[in-house]
Amino acid sequence: MAVRCTKGRITDEELVNELINPFEIQDMKQLEDYLNRVSRSYQWVIQTSIKCEDINNPESALVLISNSTVHSRDFFAQLVAHFLSKWKHLDVEHVFRRSNSTQISFKRNTSISSSEIMPGIRKHFGYLDVLCKELDDNTEFWTQLMYTYNAERFNLVTLHRSQFEVFATGEVPNPTKILERLCKQSICDMTLPDLLVNFRKMYLATQLVKNIEISLETGNESVTIFHDFKDERVIRNLVKYFSNIFRENGSTF
């Protein structure tokens, strides 16, 4: 199996059930032994260690997966995460990847039904699922778009149609609502560090500027925007455009 190709993709539930049989497992200690047997039977060079206070009904757990490649460990870690989410209602809290091991911390989450993917699993192991589904559903469009971006060396700007329309009239639009939709949170409710992080993430993706550097030091927060525009009117409009976002947050740069 080319486990490298599974990176960022949610593993099929049938495969999880095929590799980890819940009828052979009674507690977390038996799960640890079972996973190491499975690894040996498939000739995977993977060693699994599980730590938790209650082996029957853990509120939290720490799983250490050692040896093999990082891609193999990630694939195996996702199998374990899926199993624990269905079997013990445990969700992934953190993932720590080192050169020869992957450590996953779990915490009980009973707010998600057994038929849903736990948010921690989607965040740490299924972050490419939305992208891949979109590529599958609109292959022709995205293939042409990626070809165009590559041919133009990514010197293209992405703007919402309504924003472009305002810019085309010579006026400066307010981008706050777009940022709020992407973040699923009101700008007024964001802390300044969170706003700076979200701001950088969004506007680097639009290619509207070349680079954005931020400082999150308490009391000395700052944002530095690098661009290669030469027309002073364009630069002034960009300052107004970006300032709308921080003004909404009550911060003036």
Side-chain angles (χ1 to χ4, degrees):
M1 177 183 295
V3 293
R4 181 186 294 268
C5 299
T6 66
K7 184 179 180 181
R9 303 292 303 271
I10 295 294
T11 302
D12 187 81
E13 190 172 343
E14 290 184 6
L15 179 59
V16 178
N17 294 334
E18 181 180 333
L19 294 175
I20 306 178
N21 186 352
F23 297 106
E24 296 185 30
I25 303 166
Q26 300 299 318
D27 57 42
M28 298 290 277
K29 177 57 181 168
Q30 287 186 6
L31 173 62
E32 177 184 282
D33 295 338
Y34 180 90
L35 292 174
N36 288 318
R37 285 202 309 274
V38 167
S39 177
R40 289 193 297 270
S41 67
Y42 282 96
Q43 297 184 334
W44 294 338
V45 191
I46 295 177
Q47 179 70 31
T48 303
S49 172
I50 300 177
K51 294 181 180 179
C52 59
E53 291 186 0
D54 186 342
I55 63 172
N56 294 302
N57 294 294
E59 288 293 325
S60 61
L62 192 65
V63 177
L64 181 66
I65 299 173
S66 308
N67 303 328
S68 193
T69 66
V70 64
H71 300 293
S72 296
R73 293 199 306 269
D74 268 7
F75 171 72
F76 200 71
Q78 191 184 155
L79 292 177
V80 176
H82 271 289
F83 181 78
L84 288 176
S85 71
K86 303 291 184 184
W87 186 52
K88 294 295 183 183
H89 300 289
L90 293 174
D91 191 15
V92 176
E93 194 171 24
H94 299 291
V95 177
F96 303 94
R97 294 176 176 86
R98 299 181 176 86
S99 59
N100 196 41
S101 66
T102 300
Q103 181 176 285
I104 313 103
S105 61
F106 292 86
K107 190 172 183 179
R108 183 181 289 275
N109 183 351
T110 56
S111 64
I112 304 296
S113 71
S114 59
S115 62
E116 295 180 281
I117 302 294
M118 288 280 192
I121 294 177
R122 192 171 295 283
K123 175 184 177 181
H124 293 284
F125 296 111
Y127 48 87
L128 291 181
D129 256 23
V130 173
L131 171 62
C132 292
K133 183 180 185 304
E134 183 63 30
L135 286 172
D136 290 339
D137 292 345
N138 299 282
T139 303
E140 185 176 346
F141 170 79
W142 290 112
T143 300
Q144 181 59 47
L145 185 69
M146 286 186 281
Y147 171 79
T148 304
Y149 264 80
N150 187 59
E152 293 298 327
R153 299 182 180 275
F154 288 82
N155 286 312
L156 299 175
V157 173
T158 302
L159 277 177
H160 192 282
R161 183 185 296 272
S162 64
Q163 303 275 286
F164 171 77
E165 183 179 9
V166 176
F167 266 130
T169 67
E171 298 297 321
V172 178
N174 189 331
T176 56
K177 295 302 180 186
I178 292 176
L179 183 59
E180 288 177 338
R181 284 199 296 271
L182 289 174
C183 298
K184 298 180 180 178
Q185 184 182 11
S186 168
I187 288 177
C188 296
D189 295 335
M190 295 183 198
T191 64
L192 182 53
D194 285 344
L195 176 58
L196 287 170
V197 170
N198 290 326
F199 173 83
R200 183 178 187 274
K201 189 183 301 183
M202 173 177 170
Y203 282 103
L204 284 181
T206 65
Q207 300 287 315
L208 189 57
V209 295
K210 288 295 183 181
N211 195 18
I212 299 174
E213 291 182 357
I214 58 175
S215 171
L216 304 180
E217 182 184 351
T218 304
N220 291 304
E221 295 89 350
S222 67
V223 55
T224 306
I225 299 170
F226 298 87
H227 62 84
D228 56 4
F229 298 115
K230 299 188 174 50
D231 191 308
E232 288 296 328
R233 293 171 300 176
V234 173
I235 297 170
R236 284 197 300 270
N237 284 344
L238 270 182
V239 172
K240 292 180 183 178
Y241 181 68
F242 293 139
S243 293
N244 284 328
I245 293 172
F246 296 103
R247 190 177 296 112
E248 184 77 15
N249 183 256
S251 306
T252 303
F253 280 83

PDB file of all heavy atoms in Angstrom, residues 30-52:
ATOM      1  N   GLN A  30      -5.137  -4.600  25.993  1.00  0.00           N
ATOM      2  CA  GLN A  30      -5.317  -5.589  24.931  1.00  0.00           C
ATOM      3  C   GLN A  30      -5.212  -4.925  23.556  1.00  0.00           C
ATOM      4  O   GLN A  30      -4.728  -5.540  22.602  1.00  0.00           O
ATOM      5  CB  GLN A  30      -6.669  -6.283  25.090  1.00  0.00           C
ATOM      6  CG  GLN A  30      -6.717  -7.260  26.255  1.00  0.00           C
ATOM      7  CD  GLN A  30      -8.015  -8.043  26.298  1.00  0.00           C
ATOM      8  OE1 GLN A  30      -8.851  -7.940  25.398  1.00  0.00           O
ATOM      9  NE2 GLN A  30      -8.210  -8.818  27.359  1.00  0.00           N
ATOM     10  N   LEU A  31      -5.653  -3.669  23.455  1.00  0.00           N
ATOM     11  CA  LEU A  31      -5.520  -2.948  22.189  1.00  0.00           C
ATOM     12  C   LEU A  31      -4.039  -2.773  21.842  1.00  0.00           C
ATOM     13  O   LEU A  31      -3.642  -2.982  20.690  1.00  0.00           O
ATOM     14  CB  LEU A  31      -6.197  -1.576  22.283  1.00  0.00           C
ATOM     15  CG  LEU A  31      -5.992  -0.646  21.072  1.00  0.00           C
ATOM     16  CD1 LEU A  31      -6.582  -1.262  19.806  1.00  0.00           C
ATOM     17  CD2 LEU A  31      -6.621   0.723  21.332  1.00  0.00           C
ATOM     18  N   GLU A  32      -3.236  -2.405  22.826  1.00  0.00           N
ATOM     19  CA  GLU A  32      -1.797  -2.242  22.590  1.00  0.00           C
ATOM     20  C   GLU A  32      -1.187  -3.546  22.077  1.00  0.00           C
ATOM     21  O   GLU A  32      -0.435  -3.550  21.086  1.00  0.00           O
ATOM     22  CB  GLU A  32      -1.112  -1.802  23.884  1.00  0.00           C
ATOM     23  CG  GLU A  32       0.394  -1.661  23.775  1.00  0.00           C
ATOM     24  CD  GLU A  32       1.021  -1.306  25.117  1.00  0.00           C
ATOM     25  OE1 GLU A  32       0.936  -0.128  25.501  1.00  0.00           O
ATOM     26  OE2 GLU A  32       1.581  -2.230  25.773  1.00  0.00           O
ATOM     27  N   ASP A  33      -1.498  -4.657  22.755  1.00  0.00           N
ATOM     28  CA  ASP A  33      -0.962  -5.965  22.336  1.00  0.00           C
ATOM     29  C   ASP A  33      -1.455  -6.330  20.943  1.00  0.00           C
ATOM     30  O   ASP A  33      -0.689  -6.858  20.120  1.00  0.00           O
ATOM     31  CB  ASP A  33      -1.381  -7.045  23.332  1.00  0.00           C
ATOM     32  CG  ASP A  33      -0.769  -6.838  24.717  1.00  0.00           C
ATOM     33  OD1 ASP A  33       0.260  -6.142  24.803  1.00  0.00           O
ATOM     34  OD2 ASP A  33      -1.347  -7.353  25.700  1.00  0.00           O
ATOM     35  N   TYR A  34      -2.729  -6.052  20.675  1.00  0.00           N
ATOM     36  CA  TYR A  34      -3.318  -6.392  19.376  1.00  0.00           C
ATOM     37  C   TYR A  34      -2.629  -5.615  18.254  1.00  0.00           C
ATOM     38  O   TYR A  34      -2.294  -6.173  17.198  1.00  0.00           O
ATOM     39  CB  TYR A  34      -4.816  -6.080  19.406  1.00  0.00           C
ATOM     40  CG  TYR A  34      -5.542  -6.400  18.122  1.00  0.00           C
ATOM     41  CD1 TYR A  34      -6.110  -7.654  17.921  1.00  0.00           C
ATOM     42  CD2 TYR A  34      -5.662  -5.454  17.098  1.00  0.00           C
ATOM     43  CE1 TYR A  34      -6.783  -7.956  16.741  1.00  0.00           C
ATOM     44  CE2 TYR A  34      -6.320  -5.748  15.919  1.00  0.00           C
ATOM     45  CZ  TYR A  34      -6.885  -7.003  15.734  1.00  0.00           C
ATOM     46  OH  TYR A  34      -7.532  -7.296  14.561  1.00  0.00           O
ATOM     47  N   LEU A  35      -2.418  -4.308  18.468  1.00  0.00           N
ATOM     48  CA  LEU A  35      -1.787  -3.475  17.442  1.00  0.00           C
ATOM     49  C   LEU A  35      -0.373  -3.948  17.135  1.00  0.00           C
ATOM     50  O   LEU A  35       0.052  -3.952  15.965  1.00  0.00           O
ATOM     51  CB  LEU A  35      -1.765  -2.015  17.895  1.00  0.00           C
ATOM     52  CG  LEU A  35      -3.122  -1.321  17.992  1.00  0.00           C
ATOM     53  CD1 LEU A  35      -2.963   0.071  18.598  1.00  0.00           C
ATOM     54  CD2 LEU A  35      -3.796  -1.215  16.631  1.00  0.00           C
ATOM     55  N   ASN A  36       0.359  -4.362  18.140  1.00  0.00           N
ATOM     56  CA  ASN A  36       1.720  -4.862  17.908  1.00  0.00           C
ATOM     57  C   ASN A  36       1.698  -6.210  17.177  1.00  0.00           C
ATOM     58  O   ASN A  36       2.581  -6.474  16.349  1.00  0.00           O
ATOM     59  CB  ASN A  36       2.474  -4.977  19.238  1.00  0.00           C
ATOM     60  CG  ASN A  36       2.845  -3.603  19.789  1.00  0.00           C
ATOM     61  OD1 ASN A  36       3.268  -2.722  19.046  1.00  0.00           O
ATOM     62  ND2 ASN A  36       2.688  -3.415  21.092  1.00  0.00           N
ATOM     63  N   ARG A  37       0.690  -7.028  17.436  1.00  0.00           N
ATOM     64  CA  ARG A  37       0.555  -8.291  16.695  1.00  0.00           C
ATOM     65  C   ARG A  37       0.226  -8.009  15.232  1.00  0.00           C
ATOM     66  O   ARG A  37       0.777  -8.654  14.323  1.00  0.00           O
ATOM     67  CB  ARG A  37      -0.535  -9.170  17.319  1.00  0.00           C
ATOM     68  CG  ARG A  37      -0.152  -9.845  18.613  1.00  0.00           C
ATOM     69  CD  ARG A  37      -1.022 -11.073  18.876  1.00  0.00           C
ATOM     70  NE  ARG A  37      -2.449 -10.790  18.761  1.00  0.00           N
ATOM     71  CZ  ARG A  37      -3.203 -10.310  19.743  1.00  0.00           C
ATOM     72  NH1 ARG A  37      -2.656 -10.039  20.929  1.00  0.00           N
ATOM     73  NH2 ARG A  37      -4.495 -10.086  19.567  1.00  0.00           N
ATOM     74  N   VAL A  38      -0.691  -7.079  15.000  1.00  0.00           N
ATOM     75  CA  VAL A  38      -1.058  -6.720  13.627  1.00  0.00           C
ATOM     76  C   VAL A  38       0.163  -6.215  12.861  1.00  0.00           C
ATOM     77  O   VAL A  38       0.394  -6.580  11.707  1.00  0.00           O
ATOM     78  CB  VAL A  38      -2.170  -5.640  13.618  1.00  0.00           C
ATOM     79  CG1 VAL A  38      -2.325  -5.033  12.227  1.00  0.00           C
ATOM     80  CG2 VAL A  38      -3.485  -6.242  14.077  1.00  0.00           C
ATOM     81  N   SER A  39       0.952  -5.378  13.523  1.00  0.00           N
ATOM     82  CA  SER A  39       2.157  -4.840  12.887  1.00  0.00           C
ATOM     83  C   SER A  39       3.111  -5.958  12.483  1.00  0.00           C
ATOM     84  O   SER A  39       3.661  -5.952  11.374  1.00  0.00           O
ATOM     85  CB  SER A  39       2.859  -3.870  13.844  1.00  0.00           C
ATOM     86  OG  SER A  39       4.062  -3.398  13.288  1.00  0.00           O
ATOM     87  N   ARG A  40       3.295  -6.915  13.370  1.00  0.00           N
ATOM     88  CA  ARG A  40       4.196  -8.036  13.051  1.00  0.00           C
ATOM     89  C   ARG A  40       3.634  -8.905  11.940  1.00  0.00           C
ATOM     90  O   ARG A  40       4.358  -9.336  11.035  1.00  0.00           O
ATOM     91  CB  ARG A  40       4.440  -8.882  14.298  1.00  0.00           C
ATOM     92  CG  ARG A  40       5.321  -8.202  15.345  1.00  0.00           C
ATOM     93  CD  ARG A  40       5.780  -9.202  16.396  1.00  0.00           C
ATOM     94  NE  ARG A  40       4.645  -9.756  17.139  1.00  0.00           N
ATOM     95  CZ  ARG A  40       4.152  -9.219  18.252  1.00  0.00           C
ATOM     96  NH1 ARG A  40       4.672  -8.092  18.733  1.00  0.00           N
ATOM     97  NH2 ARG A  40       3.137  -9.778  18.878  1.00  0.00           N
ATOM     98  N   SER A  41       2.317  -9.132  11.969  1.00  0.00           N
ATOM     99  CA  SER A  41       1.713 -10.019  10.958  1.00  0.00           C
ATOM    100  C   SER A  41       1.775  -9.420   9.565  1.00  0.00           C
ATOM    101  O   SER A  41       1.874 -10.148   8.574  1.00  0.00           O
ATOM    102  CB  SER A  41       0.261 -10.337  11.339  1.00  0.00           C
ATOM    103  OG  SER A  41      -0.540  -9.172  11.264  1.00  0.00           O
ATOM    104  N   TYR A  42       1.724  -8.082   9.466  1.00  0.00           N
ATOM    105  CA  TYR A  42       1.822  -7.417   8.162  1.00  0.00           C
ATOM    106  C   TYR A  42       3.257  -7.004   7.845  1.00  0.00           C
ATOM    107  O   TYR A  42       3.502  -6.335   6.848  1.00  0.00           O
ATOM    108  CB  TYR A  42       0.925  -6.181   8.135  1.00  0.00           C
ATOM    109  CG  TYR A  42      -0.540  -6.510   7.935  1.00  0.00           C
ATOM    110  CD1 TYR A  42      -1.397  -6.612   9.025  1.00  0.00           C
ATOM    111  CD2 TYR A  42      -1.052  -6.733   6.663  1.00  0.00           C
ATOM    112  CE1 TYR A  42      -2.744  -6.917   8.862  1.00  0.00           C
ATOM    113  CE2 TYR A  42      -2.395  -7.045   6.488  1.00  0.00           C
ATOM    114  CZ  TYR A  42      -3.227  -7.132   7.585  1.00  0.00           C
ATOM    115  OH  TYR A  42      -4.566  -7.438   7.415  1.00  0.00           O
ATOM    116  N   GLN A  43       4.185  -7.418   8.723  1.00  0.00           N
ATOM    117  CA  GLN A  43       5.607  -7.109   8.560  1.00  0.00           C
ATOM    118  C   GLN A  43       5.856  -5.600   8.497  1.00  0.00           C
ATOM    119  O   GLN A  43       6.701  -5.119   7.742  1.00  0.00           O
ATOM    120  CB  GLN A  43       6.171  -7.808   7.309  1.00  0.00           C
ATOM    121  CG  GLN A  43       6.117  -9.317   7.418  1.00  0.00           C
ATOM    122  CD  GLN A  43       6.756 -10.007   6.233  1.00  0.00           C
ATOM    123  OE1 GLN A  43       6.815  -9.462   5.136  1.00  0.00           O
ATOM    124  NE2 GLN A  43       7.239 -11.221   6.458  1.00  0.00           N
ATOM    125  N   TRP A  44       5.065  -4.858   9.293  1.00  0.00           N
ATOM    126  CA  TRP A  44       5.315  -3.426   9.460  1.00  0.00           C
ATOM    127  C   TRP A  44       6.281  -3.263  10.630  1.00  0.00           C
ATOM    128  O   TRP A  44       6.134  -3.915  11.662  1.00  0.00           O
ATOM    129  CB  TRP A  44       4.019  -2.676   9.783  1.00  0.00           C
ATOM    130  CG  TRP A  44       3.023  -2.688   8.668  1.00  0.00           C
ATOM    131  CD1 TRP A  44       3.271  -2.887   7.344  1.00  0.00           C
ATOM    132  CD2 TRP A  44       1.602  -2.496   8.788  1.00  0.00           C
ATOM    133  NE1 TRP A  44       2.100  -2.839   6.625  1.00  0.00           N
ATOM    134  CE2 TRP A  44       1.059  -2.586   7.488  1.00  0.00           C
ATOM    135  CE3 TRP A  44       0.751  -2.253   9.851  1.00  0.00           C
ATOM    136  CZ2 TRP A  44      -0.294  -2.448   7.223  1.00  0.00           C
ATOM    137  CZ3 TRP A  44      -0.604  -2.108   9.606  1.00  0.00           C
ATOM    138  CH2 TRP A  44      -1.119  -2.197   8.311  1.00  0.00           C
ATOM    139  N   VAL A  45       7.234  -2.398  10.486  1.00  0.00           N
ATOM    140  CA  VAL A  45       8.200  -2.193  11.573  1.00  0.00           C
ATOM    141  C   VAL A  45       7.678  -1.085  12.488  1.00  0.00           C
ATOM    142  O   VAL A  45       8.245  -0.009  12.604  1.00  0.00           O
ATOM    143  CB  VAL A  45       9.581  -1.815  11.000  1.00  0.00           C
ATOM    144  CG1 VAL A  45      10.638  -1.865  12.098  1.00  0.00           C
ATOM    145  CG2 VAL A  45       9.954  -2.737   9.859  1.00  0.00           C
ATOM    146  N   ILE A  46       6.541  -1.341  13.130  1.00  0.00           N
ATOM    147  CA  ILE A  46       5.892  -0.333  13.969  1.00  0.00           C
ATOM    148  C   ILE A  46       5.658  -0.901  15.368  1.00  0.00           C
ATOM    149  O   ILE A  46       5.136  -2.012  15.514  1.00  0.00           O
ATOM    150  CB  ILE A  46       4.543   0.117  13.352  1.00  0.00           C
ATOM    151  CG1 ILE A  46       4.780   0.838  12.017  1.00  0.00           C
ATOM    152  CG2 ILE A  46       3.784   1.027  14.315  1.00  0.00           C
ATOM    153  CD1 ILE A  46       3.502   1.238  11.306  1.00  0.00           C
ATOM    154  N   GLN A  47       6.039  -0.125  16.366  1.00  0.00           N
ATOM    155  CA  GLN A  47       5.819  -0.506  17.757  1.00  0.00           C
ATOM    156  C   GLN A  47       4.856   0.495  18.386  1.00  0.00           C
ATOM    157  O   GLN A  47       5.028   1.709  18.249  1.00  0.00           O
ATOM    158  CB  GLN A  47       7.144  -0.499  18.528  1.00  0.00           C
ATOM    159  CG  GLN A  47       7.035  -0.858  19.994  1.00  0.00           C
ATOM    160  CD  GLN A  47       6.702  -2.328  20.216  1.00  0.00           C
ATOM    161  OE1 GLN A  47       7.082  -3.181  19.410  1.00  0.00           O
ATOM    162  NE2 GLN A  47       5.982  -2.626  21.292  1.00  0.00           N
ATOM    163  N   THR A  48       3.832   0.000  19.063  1.00  0.00           N
ATOM    164  CA  THR A  48       2.821   0.863  19.671  1.00  0.00           C
ATOM    165  C   THR A  48       2.832   0.726  21.186  1.00  0.00           C
ATOM    166  O   THR A  48       2.871  -0.383  21.721  1.00  0.00           O
ATOM    167  CB  THR A  48       1.418   0.513  19.144  1.00  0.00           C
ATOM    168  OG1 THR A  48       1.404   0.615  17.719  1.00  0.00           O
ATOM    169  CG2 THR A  48       0.373   1.466  19.725  1.00  0.00           C
ATOM    170  N   SER A  49       2.780   1.884  21.850  1.00  0.00           N
ATOM    171  CA  SER A  49       2.702   1.921  23.311  1.00  0.00           C
ATOM    172  C   SER A  49       1.551   2.835  23.709  1.00  0.00           C
ATOM    173  O   SER A  49       1.414   3.934  23.168  1.00  0.00           O
ATOM    174  CB  SER A  49       4.023   2.436  23.898  1.00  0.00           C
ATOM    175  OG  SER A  49       3.903   2.653  25.282  1.00  0.00           O
ATOM    176  N   ILE A  50       0.699   2.377  24.647  1.00  0.00           N
ATOM    177  CA  ILE A  50      -0.463   3.157  25.077  1.00  0.00           C
ATOM    178  C   ILE A  50      -0.393   3.393  26.581  1.00  0.00           C
ATOM    179  O   ILE A  50      -0.183   2.468  27.364  1.00  0.00           O
ATOM    180  CB  ILE A  50      -1.779   2.432  24.726  1.00  0.00           C
ATOM    181  CG1 ILE A  50      -1.881   2.217  23.214  1.00  0.00           C
ATOM    182  CG2 ILE A  50      -2.983   3.228  25.243  1.00  0.00           C
ATOM    183  CD1 ILE A  50      -3.116   1.447  22.783  1.00  0.00           C
ATOM    184  N   LYS A  51      -0.586   4.646  26.973  1.00  0.00           N
ATOM    185  CA  LYS A  51      -0.626   4.997  28.392  1.00  0.00           C
ATOM    186  C   LYS A  51      -1.961   5.659  28.714  1.00  0.00           C
ATOM    187  O   LYS A  51      -2.398   6.563  27.996  1.00  0.00           O
ATOM    188  CB  LYS A  51       0.519   5.954  28.737  1.00  0.00           C
ATOM    189  CG  LYS A  51       1.903   5.338  28.613  1.00  0.00           C
ATOM    190  CD  LYS A  51       2.978   6.349  29.003  1.00  0.00           C
ATOM    191  CE  LYS A  51       4.365   5.727  28.880  1.00  0.00           C
ATOM    192  NZ  LYS A  51       5.425   6.719  29.236  1.00  0.00           N
ATOM    193  N   CYS A  52      -2.606   5.211  29.791  1.00  0.00           N
ATOM    194  CA  CYS A  52      -3.849   5.825  30.268  1.00  0.00           C
ATOM    195  C   CYS A  52      -4.084   5.382  31.701  1.00  0.00           C
ATOM    196  O   CYS A  52      -3.582   4.345  32.126  1.00  0.00           O
ATOM    197  CB  CYS A  52      -5.035   5.460  29.379  1.00  0.00           C
ATOM    198  SG  CYS A  52      -5.351   3.692  29.259  1.00  0.00           S
TER     199      CYS A  52
END
